[in-house]
Amino acid sequence: DIQMTQSPSSLSASVGDRVTITCQASQDISNYLNWYQQKPGKAPKLLIYDASNLETGVPSRFSGSGSGTDFTFTISSLQPEDIATYYCQQYDNLPQGFGPGTKVDIK
Amino acid sequence: EVQLLESGGGLVQPGGSLRLSCAASGFTFSSYAMSWVRQAPGKGLEWVSAISGSGGSTYYADSVKGRFTISRDNSKNTLYLQMNSLRAEDTAVYYCAKGIEYSSSRGGGYFDYWGQGTLVTVSS
């Protein structure tokens, strides 16, 4: 199985800060990497698919990059409504795997 | 508007069974693979199972293989998860999720829509 790691596990930043989360796969997954946002008590929401494509309706302050084994998710200017846990997900091979998540809150 | 509405969760004793349902609307149900993803309390997301658009291909996580069965009724736009021999570690919120592919060979690809989830608690 492909193992997914994320760092950091949590972070605290100020409104307007640039926030970066990294995700690493245990083997090459090409660009089959997605990012989801999950707010407490809610279902996950797709933000970025295929490493760098912004899902329709998602604000442009969210972006993703990377390929192979190393990926990056960025919030260019953190907003109060971005408080959530963010998960990366690979779908190159079954079983699909999610990263352990990064909890983002406001400093 | 795409909607996915799960039902069937509840409290069940270890070794018991439960059947989850996910009623879909707002898209051509039979054209897309569907998956179940679960989340144990305070934990991360775990993919559980996927089924192709036709229902002819199914895949399972090792943790549920042989105990859970995924199925779909395209005439009723409904996805199911039959869960047998339930264990305490199966306690979780179960989400149904719509894939972006017809095939389930990669779990249906990424998930562009999710249901609100249904809680399954396995406890004596």
Side-chain angles (χ1 to χ4, degrees):
Chain A
D1 296 359
I2 297 174
Q3 304 304 315
M4 305 300 295
T5 57
Q6 274 182 248
S7 63
S9 57
S10 65
L11 65 89
S12 189
S14 300
V15 172
D17 281 356
R18 184 180 185 88
V19 168
T20 299
I21 299 168
T22 63
C23 176
Q24 188 168 57
S26 60
Q27 66 187 66
D28 189 336
I29 58 170
S30 185
N31 68 331
Y32 297 120
L33 189 285
N34 312 304
W35 292 94
Y36 297 87
Q37 175 194 65
Q38 186 179 33
K39 297 183 178 179
K42 300 294 186 181
K45 175 186 175 182
L46 177 68
L47 299 181
I48 302 288
Y49 63 93
D50 294 344
S52 60
N53 295 289
L54 192 67
E55 174 69 347
T56 302
V58 173
S60 59
R61 64 180 180 273
F62 297 101
S63 65
S65 64
S67 67
T69 60
D70 296 299
F71 302 86
T72 300
F73 172 81
T74 300
I75 307 173
S76 61
S77 177
L78 186 67
Q79 300 301 304
E81 60 266 32
D82 300 336
I83 301 312
T85 299
Y86 293 85
Y87 294 94
C88 61
Q89 175 215 21
Q90 72 80 18
Y91 71 102
D92 182 55
N93 273 317
L94 288 180
Q96 287 195 358
F98 291 89
T102 296
K103 188 173 183 179
V104 175
D105 62 28
I106 298 289
K107 191 182 297 182
Chain B
E1 179 192 7
V2 171
Q3 290 193 333
L4 299 171
L5 185 63
E6 300 98 336
S7 60
L11 175 63
V12 61
Q13 291 188 339
S17 298
L18 213 53
R19 188 200 201 198
L20 305 183
S21 299
C22 172
S25 61
F27 64 102
T28 305
F29 184 66
S30 60
S31 293
Y32 297 94
M34 298 291 294
S35 279
W36 289 97
V37 177
R38 69 184 180 183
Q39 186 170 37
K43 302 298 183 181
L45 300 167
E46 179 189 15
W47 173 81
V48 172
S49 182
I51 187 168
S52 64
S54 68
S57 296
T58 58
Y59 299 87
Y60 299 92
D62 286 346
S63 58
V64 306
K65 199 173 295 181
R67 300 188 298 122
F68 289 12
T69 302
I70 190 172
S71 62
R72 64 193 297 162
D73 185 336
N74 286 344
S75 68
K76 296 182 178 178
N77 288 351
T78 303
L79 174 72
Y80 303 101
L81 186 68
Q82 177 67 43
M83 304 185 295
N84 298 332
S85 304
L86 282 161
R87 307 166 179 167
E89 54 265 36
D90 295 318
T91 294
V93 173
Y94 285 73
Y95 296 100
C96 66
K98 172 188 169 292
I100 54 90
E101 300 175 346
Y102 174 83
S103 167
S104 56
S105 62
R106 294 188 304 180
Y110 54 87
F111 306 132
D112 53 356
Y113 292 95
W114 297 64
Q116 86 290 347
T118 187
L119 176 63
V120 172
T121 302
V122 184
S123 175
S124 55

